[in-house]
Amino acid sequence: MPSTMVHLFTADKIASALEINDISQFFLGSVSPDAVNLNGFASQEVRYAAHIRSIDPEVWKNNVSEFYRKNLSAYINEIDFFKGFIVHLLTDIAWDEFIQPDLFEGLRRSGITEDNLRKEKWVELDRLDDLLLSDSRFEFIRSRLSASHPVAVSTVSQELLEKFKEHILIQTNKKKSDEKPVVLKYEHIEAVSKKVLELYNHVTDVPPAE
């Protein structure tokens, strides 16, 4: 899975294609499942429940499609938040399938050993985050996220999501690294955004539950 900044910038890239009206709620939805990691990585059981996740990516896609079908009507008044939640899950899937393998290969070429790949992945994402912080779209994203209000979704409560939003707003004032990314570039955001749109059109192409 990628970082919060990657989720926000991916959401920003595809908002127009998804005909988003309330961009604030869309941005909040696009980070909502990770609220369970507010105090550090939650257990796998907790993370998987929030993300309706399966180890098998095809099963995970089916889970997302089923969740969309069963819950669409319940979020009719928060449809853009709901779309953001779905986009978060699909961004995780697209990143793991299409971006992370190249990231790991690039880290290997830079001299990172197999034992350190997972740790260095997050170091590289921190470097990408700092690159995104200087992007011209960041202040817009941050201001709109700040204007959002929490909505309960999956296993994430309104209270937890509000705390997580405030945590994000504080953390995005802090620089994490003085180094530039070794492998990741803004083009990876564009690439994952295209894949997310493809997945979104696929998993939402189902009739809503009656």
Side-chain angles (χ1 to χ4, degrees):
M1 63 177 63
S3 66
T4 295
M5 289 290 284
V6 170
H7 279 293
L8 288 170
F9 271 80
T10 299
D12 184 55
K13 289 285 292 183
I14 66 176
S16 178
L18 296 184
E19 300 180 338
I20 299 302
N21 293 310
D22 192 336
I23 193 69
S24 292
Q25 290 305 101
F26 183 60
F27 284 149
L28 186 61
S30 78
V31 297
S32 58
D34 284 346
V36 294
N37 297 321
L38 176 62
N39 297 313
F41 273 119
S43 67
Q44 178 172 301
E45 179 182 5
V46 171
R47 286 184 286 111
Y48 274 43
H51 290 73
I52 54 173
R53 183 170 184 170
S54 169
I55 294 176
D56 185 330
E58 294 306 314
V59 174
W60 193 3
K61 292 171 192 175
N62 288 335
N63 289 350
V64 176
S65 185
E66 184 72 2
F67 186 91
Y68 176 86
R69 186 183 71 83
K70 288 184 175 180
N71 292 278
L72 179 60
S73 61
Y75 285 89
I76 198 67
N77 294 322
E78 284 287 356
I79 189 61
D80 291 328
F81 175 88
F82 185 65
K83 287 181 178 180
F85 172 79
I86 298 297
V87 163
H88 178 105
L89 306 181
L90 299 180
T91 302
D92 279 349
I93 293 170
W95 186 271
D96 288 354
E97 285 193 322
F98 301 106
I99 306 299
Q100 189 155 279
D102 288 342
L103 169 57
F104 281 172
E105 185 55 36
L107 291 174
R108 291 186 186 98
R109 288 196 300 269
S110 73
I112 302 301
T113 63
E114 293 294 322
D115 290 343
N116 288 322
L117 279 180
R118 294 286 173 179
K119 175 183 176 182
E120 289 300 317
K121 159 196 167 177
W122 291 107
V123 174
E124 178 69 354
L125 278 164
D126 283 347
R127 292 189 284 251
L128 177 63
D129 284 356
D130 284 333
L131 185 67
L132 295 174
L133 283 173
S134 64
D135 188 271
S136 60
R137 291 292 292 175
F138 172 66
E139 282 306 319
F140 169 77
I141 294 171
R142 191 178 190 281
S143 67
R144 297 278 53 82
L145 178 65
S146 179
S148 65
H149 60 267
V151 177
V153 65
S154 66
T155 62
V156 177
S157 68
Q158 286 180 293
E159 180 182 14
L160 179 59
L161 186 53
E162 178 64 21
K163 291 178 180 178
F164 187 59
K165 183 187 84 169
E166 294 305 318
H167 172 77
I168 292 171
L169 294 174
I170 292 170
Q171 289 301 308
T172 51
N173 279 325
K174 300 177 181 179
K175 193 173 183 180
K176 299 178 183 177
S177 174
D178 292 322
E179 302 176 357
K180 293 183 178 180
V182 176
V183 180
L184 295 174
K185 302 176 182 178
Y186 188 77
E187 287 78 3
H188 288 98
I189 304 292
E190 296 178 340
V192 79
S193 298
K194 291 179 181 178
K195 292 296 182 181
V196 170
L197 278 178
E198 292 175 10
L199 289 171
Y200 188 93
N201 290 333
H202 175 69
V203 303
T204 63
D205 187 24
V206 293
E210 296 182 357

